[in-house]
Amino acid sequence: MRKQIVAGNWKMNNDLSQTESLISELTNKKQTSNAEVMIAPTFTNLYKAFEALRETSIEVIAQNMHFAENGAYTGEISASMLKSVGVNTVILGHSERREYFNETDELLAKKVDAALENQMRIIFCFGEVLADRKSGNQEKVVESQIKNALFHLDAAAFKNIVLAYEPVWAIGTGETASPEQAQDMHAFIRKTLANKYGKDVANNMSILYGGSVKPNNAKEIFSKPDVDGGLIGGAALNADDFFAIVNAF
Ligand code: 13P
C-alpha cells in the first residue's frame, strides 16, 4: 500500500510566536484519516516545532537545503544541520525555488544526492507553468523535470522519495487543477517511473498534488486513484482548514 501524505508548506510565513500558536492548535485537532501529516515551518522555527511535536505523529520537515555538507556558502543550511535539529525530510524543487532562486534541474540533482547521502527523505516538487499547459506541453515538461533531477538514481533510492506534482498555474491562485487533470498527470508520472524502474517502484511511489487544495476540494482530488495526498500552501496556515484536508481521505 502506498503511503497517504498531507504536508503543509508554510513558506515564508509565521514568526516564532505564530509558529507556537499554530502548532498548539494543530495538536488539539483529531485525526480521523491514516495519512502521514507533516508541516514545513521556516528554518528559524524548525527546532522549536520539532520539540513541540516530538511526542505527536506530526513530522516537522524543511522547505529547502543546500547540497554542500558545510563551508563557505553564506546564508545556506545543510542536510546534517537539518538532521541535528530533528528534521529528516526536506522539500526540494518547489516552483518558487525554481522561479525566484534560479534552481535548475542540475542543481536539484545535486541537492537530491546530498539529501539521500544523509539518509533524508525528499518531497520532490515539479510542475508546468500555464504556457506549457496551454500549448499542451505539460507532460513533456514534467517528464524532463523528473528525468533530469532523479533518473540518475538507482531504484532503491526511490524508497526515500515522494513526488509532488504542483502545476505552477494552480499555486496560490485559487485555481485548482481539476481532479481529472490531476489524475491524468499522476497516472502519466507513474507510467514514466514504471518505464524506467519497473512497476514495483512506480506502484509504491506516493505522488502528492499541490496547488490550491482547500477543505472544499480535497476530498474529490484525493479520491483519484493515483493521487496519494497533498502538498498544501495557504490552507496549511489555518489549523481547521489543514485538518479538514488531512481528514479528507
Ligand atoms: P497553495 O496551496 O497556497 O496553492 O500552495 C501550494 C504549494 O505551493 C505547496 O507547496
Side-chain angles (χ1 to χ4, degrees), residues 1-247:
M1 261 293 278
R2 291 197 286 273
K3 280 188 194 120
Q4 297 175 327
I5 298 171
V6 177
N9 176 9
W10 289 9
K11 308 191 180 184
M12 198 172 72
N13 293 295
N14 290 337
D15 64 15
L16 182 57
S17 71
Q18 292 164 326
T19 298
E20 286 172 320
S21 48
L22 181 48
I23 284 177
S24 100
E25 287 181 55
L26 292 174
T27 51
N28 287 324
K29 297 285 168 205
K30 193 170 154 39
Q31 185 174 350
T32 55
S33 68
N34 291 322
E36 273 187 48
V37 181
M38 306 173 184
I39 58 164
T42 195
F43 285 130
T44 49
N45 299 323
L46 285 175
Y47 187 55
K48 197 78 184 184
F50 168 72
E51 294 258 282
L53 291 168
R54 194 190 265 269
E55 306 293 330
T56 74
S57 58
I58 301 178
E59 184 184 350
V60 176
I61 71 173
Q63 299 176 18
N64 179 34
M65 57 166 245
H66 195 267
F67 59 81
E69 199 44 51
N70 50 49
Y73 297 98
T74 301
E76 292 291 335
I77 310 274
S78 72
S80 57
M81 290 168 186
L82 293 176
K83 293 197 77 176
S84 75
V85 296
V87 171
N88 294 304
T89 301
V90 62
I91 298 170
L92 293 177
H94 194 281
S95 64
E96 288 147 19
R97 299 295 317 171
R98 294 174 189 261
E99 182 178 353
Y100 306 133
F101 302 95
N102 304 318
E103 295 200 3
T104 60
D105 291 345
E106 293 67 35
L107 175 80
L108 291 169
K110 287 193 194 179
K111 292 191 176 199
V112 163
D113 289 345
L116 294 174
E117 278 159 22
N118 282 276
Q119 284 82 45
M120 291 188 78
R121 182 155 69 148
I122 298 165
I123 298 182
F124 187 78
C125 306
F126 50 85
E128 81 283 1
V129 298
L130 188 58
D132 300 323
R133 171 70 55 178
K134 283 195 164 152
S135 58
N137 280 330
Q138 65 270 19
E139 290 187 349
K140 238 189 242 150
V141 169
V142 161
E143 185 176 18
S144 81
Q145 288 172 324
I146 295 174
K147 280 188 174 165
N148 293 341
L150 301 178
F151 275 16
H152 62 289
L153 300 171
D154 61 19
F158 282 82
K159 284 197 185 71
N160 291 315
I161 296 178
V162 170
L163 299 179
Y165 168 57
E166 298 204 302
V168 179
W169 49 271
I171 294 178
T173 57
E175 186 173 348
T176 336
S178 69
E180 291 69 31
Q181 283 172 321
Q183 168 56 28
D184 287 351
M185 182 59 88
H186 284 220
F188 170 76
I189 294 162
R190 212 177 292 288
K191 192 179 83 194
T192 304
L193 277 179
N195 289 343
K196 167 83 176 168
Y197 292 104
K199 283 219 159 91
D200 263 11
V201 168
N203 289 337
N204 286 319
M205 175 60 62
S206 295
I207 307 177
L208 315 185
Y209 169 80
S212 298
V213 178
K214 306 289 177 199
N216 64 8
N217 59 25
K219 205 179 179 72
E220 210 189 337
I221 296 171
F222 294 171
S223 71
K224 293 295 175 191
D226 285 295
V227 178
D228 305 306
L231 187 54
I232 319 301
L237 299 173
N238 176 289
D240 289 333
D241 289 352
F242 186 57
F243 261 77
I245 295 169
V246 167
N247 291 331

